[in-house]
Amino acid sequence: MAHTLSTLAYLVASVLFILALKGLSHPSTSRRGNLMGMTGMGIAIVATLAQPGMSIGGIGLIIAGLAIGGTVGAVIANRIQMTALPQLVAAFHSLVGMAAVFVAAAALYAPQSFGIGVPGNIQAQSLIEMSLGLAIGAITFSGSVIAFAKLDGRMSGAPILFKGQHLLNAALGVLLLALVVAFVITGSPVLFWLVALLSFALGFLLIIPIGGADMPVVVSMLNSYSGWAAAGIGFTIGNLLLIVTGALVGASGAILSYIMCKGMNRSILNVLLGGFGAEAGGAVAGGSATHPARPVKSGSPEDAAYIMKNAGKVIIVPGYGMAVAQAQQVVREMADLLKKEGATVEYAIHPVAGRMPGHMNVLLAEANVPYDDVHELEEINPEFVEADVAYVIGANDVTNPAAKTDKASPIYGMPILEVERAKTVFFVKRGMSSGYAGVENELFFRDNTMMLFGDAKKVTQQIVQALQK
Amino acid sequence: MNAEELALRAQGMADRAIALALEARAAAAEAAPLVEQGAAAAEPFLLLLTIFLLACFVGYHVVWSVTPALHSPLMGVTNAISSVIVVGAMLATGLADSWLAQAFGFLAVTLAAVNIFGGFLVTRRMLAMFQRKG
């Protein structure tokens, strides 16, 4: 009876989780969705606590763990800066991965709690499921730690490449498979920990060759992995809620990875093999070496302010550089002033702008930009023709017209924001360096482009001051 | 070969057939619970697999309906709900009689709790920003 009740509670929680995702189809329903997710989690926790046979000491430990972890989580969530979201999400993924490893270990040492056998004699099927949960969890953990370190600037975002890298990874993958088979046959704890160790190493090796700007794909992929790890543990302990939720999360991460790859016109394999932008791309592509000193027009913030004051339509194109410079607030101030002057102001977001899916949208929302002003690529591209000004701040490769024309370019075929169609393009940039792909941006040399050299925040502030005069 | 000899041999064969039949019955009786057990072990797995695949489809359709502007909150929510692994961790902590399993369970509960609270609260913060209109 008690068992039926808890199964029913898990079913309710599963449905609430689905509704939580469903709520995200529009900002107006999203908060209710998040609340449903919280409710579902609350129901799942209470139903588990009420399971028969839980020891008093165990319940004490559980409550202690929930209190400690919950406090830490709440403090972090309230203090984190929105620009640091990608690394926070990566760090959170690593925790799910590690939790999966621990639960797998607990199931190994106390299989009778989950009804899958006795220590030293666990059903083979459960051992297979256990090693799946363990391996995916461990890979999620170490992979996310590396992603976190790269995003947080604790290690260089540049791809780390060495000879025989892919061969090594393949060999380790085969070895991992062999160890899993040996573990399933023997059920030995030593092999269990060897599988864990090797998976940690593999997760680490898989992520180091992937560069900083490919992180949206990596973060989405690790999101997906954390779901599959939860599902693997769900199969091991025969729990419906874990299986359903794991599948939801796994599917979600996979879709996000797909969208990100499509936004760069690259295959997931190409991203995972890594090394993009590591070679001296300039020599191969864009022909920068052949045109060492092409003329570039540059202007002052005051010039830009003068032109924008007379503009009827301005489209702002933010990128990761805006996040780094923390310029979102001052960009919104500029937009407000322009609106007062009678211009329409809109924002164009490329799918891979920033370091995680939807990163720019959150930053603009933080700066109080109404979400109706923010548009996706397909929506906004036809509007650049009518725009008097395109203001590119912190974006680069995603505006490069060479992606449409230059077949030799590494970014050829990538969907771009067609800013070059605007009457005037302002390009805020520190210097003339190439973007992440190592390709020089054709846009810099166009007649209608004016470079605004300097820090994104300072330049925009100076424009705001000039507009206020 | 006379009739008496034939009858004797026939009887011998009949006896052996009966013995074999009895043996077969015993073997079948012995095997029956095993077969049942096998079916019982396979059935829940197939059931779980069915649910898993259906949930993948539900996830696929629901996530495609998420607006791209909310992809960051989507990651926050999926991150928080994947910490439902806390259920496994709690069962290990509460039901296990091995102190080692309990210790692992406790650690997993703590890590998952960081994620549950952190994930849902940071998502709430993000979504609150989308609510305020400029």
Side-chain angles (χ1 to χ4, degrees), chain A residues 55 77 80 92-93 96 112 357, chain B residues 45 72 79 94 97 115 125 133:
Chain A
S55 65
I80 194 82
F92 279 169
H93 287 157
V96 180
Q112 66 278 26
Chain B
F45 173 73
S72 282
N79 189 237
D97 42 20
N115 233 322
R125 258 184 80 192
K133 289 190 92 183

Side-chain angles (χ1 to χ4, degrees), chain A residues 23-238:
Chain A
L24 290 169
S25 54
H26 195 270
S28 60
T29 55
S30 57
R31 289 175 89 180
R32 201 177 53 212
N34 197 37
L35 210 61
M36 285 187 188
M38 292 186 198
T39 314
M41 190 61 80
I43 290 175
I45 289 176
V46 171
T48 311
L49 272 178
Q51 284 234 329
M54 296 286 264
S55 65
I56 300 296
I59 291 180
L61 271 180
I62 291 171
I63 291 176
L66 286 176
I68 297 170
T71 312
V72 173
V75 169
I76 295 174
N78 284 318
R79 292 213 180 139
I80 194 82
Q81 284 210 334
M82 282 297 138
T83 39
L85 263 185
Q87 48 266 51
L88 178 75
V89 169
F92 279 169
H93 287 157
S94 76
L95 298 183
V96 180
M98 203 60 202
V101 172
F102 285 148
V103 177
L108 177 73
Y109 290 106
Q112 66 278 26
S113 327
F114 302 110
I116 54 172
V118 289
N121 187 16
I122 304 175
Q123 297 158 17
Q125 186 197 327
S126 303
L127 286 175
I128 297 173
E129 293 158 351
M130 188 189 292
S131 37
L132 265 178
L134 166 70
I136 304 174
I139 290 175
T140 310
F141 172 75
S142 56
S144 300
V145 167
I146 299 298
F148 167 78
K150 286 195 174 199
L151 289 164
D152 204 41
R154 282 163 207 251
M155 69 184 272
S156 155
I160 296 173
L161 299 165
F162 54 86
K163 235 182 150 176
Q165 191 160 26
H166 301 317
L167 208 66
L168 176 70
N169 288 349
L172 287 181
V174 172
L175 185 60
L176 180 63
L177 209 65
L179 278 177
V180 167
V181 171
F183 169 65
V184 170
I185 292 170
T186 62
S188 133
V190 177
L191 284 168
F192 176 91
W193 291 111
L194 279 178
V195 169
L197 222 61
L198 195 61
S199 305
F200 283 137
L202 207 57
F204 171 83
L205 286 167
L206 282 175
I207 306 301
I208 55 167
I210 307 179
D214 282 344
M215 281 300 146
V217 183
V218 171
V219 174
S220 317
M221 199 184 67
L222 291 167
N223 184 242
S224 177
Y225 284 4
S226 67
W228 304 134
I233 297 297
F235 275 107
T236 316
I237 65 173

Side-chain angles (χ1 to χ4, degrees), chain A residues 103-380:
Chain A
V103 177
L108 177 73
Y109 290 106
Q112 66 278 26
S113 327
F114 302 110
I116 54 172
V118 289
N121 187 16
I122 304 175
Q123 297 158 17
Q125 186 197 327
S126 303
L127 286 175
I128 297 173
E129 293 158 351
M130 188 189 292
S131 37
L132 265 178
L134 166 70
I136 304 174
I139 290 175
T140 310
F141 172 75
S142 56
S144 300
V145 167
I146 299 298
F148 167 78
K150 286 195 174 199
L151 289 164
D152 204 41
R154 282 163 207 251
M155 69 184 272
S156 155
I160 296 173
L161 299 165
F162 54 86
K163 235 182 150 176
Q165 191 160 26
H166 301 317
L167 208 66
L168 176 70
N169 288 349
L172 287 181
V174 172
L175 185 60
L176 180 63
L177 209 65
L179 278 177
V180 167
V181 171
F183 169 65
V184 170
I185 292 170
T186 62
S188 133
V190 177
L191 284 168
F192 176 91
W193 291 111
L194 279 178
V195 169
L197 222 61
L198 195 61
S199 305
F200 283 137
L202 207 57
F204 171 83
L205 286 167
L206 282 175
I207 306 301
I208 55 167
I210 307 179
D214 282 344
M215 281 300 146
V217 183
V218 171
V219 174
S220 317
M221 199 184 67
L222 291 167
N223 184 242
S224 177
Y225 284 4
S226 67
W228 304 134
I233 297 297
F235 275 107
T236 316
I237 65 173
N239 188 297
L240 277 181
L241 180 59
L242 260 65
I243 292 175
V244 170
T245 314
L248 292 176
V249 176
S252 164
I255 290 175
L256 288 178
S257 316
Y258 169 79
I259 295 175
M260 295 298 110
C261 285
K262 221 178 101 201
M264 298 191 292
N265 189 36
R266 289 168 59 201
S267 70
I268 184 96
L269 198 68
N270 178 285
V271 174
L272 294 187
L273 289 179
F276 192 72
E279 315 90 49
V284 203
S288 61
T290 46
H291 306 281
R294 288 161 73 186
V296 167
K297 253 198 295 191
S298 78
S300 69
E302 288 74 24
D303 300 335
Y306 177 77
I307 295 173
M308 279 203 263
K309 212 167 190 165
N310 297 308
K313 185 179 175 88
V314 177
I315 299 178
I316 298 173
V317 181
Y320 182 58
M322 182 187 80
V324 175
Q326 298 271 16
Q328 59 271 27
Q329 202 72 41
V330 65
V331 165
R332 203 257 311 157
E333 280 172 39
M334 182 182 84
D336 284 351
L337 287 168
L338 290 173
K339 279 184 182 171
K340 258 189 213 151
E341 299 285 339
T344 51
V345 181
E346 284 174 324
Y347 297 80
I349 312 269
H350 193 277
V352 294
R355 286 294 189 260
M356 71 185 279
H359 192 190
M360 288 300 122
N361 302 78
V362 171
L363 293 182
L364 291 177
E366 186 193 18
N368 273 326
V369 171
Y371 57 73
D372 292 328
D373 290 358
V374 183
H375 303 283
E376 306 302 320
L377 182 132
E378 292 87 6
E379 236 174 278
I380 195 92

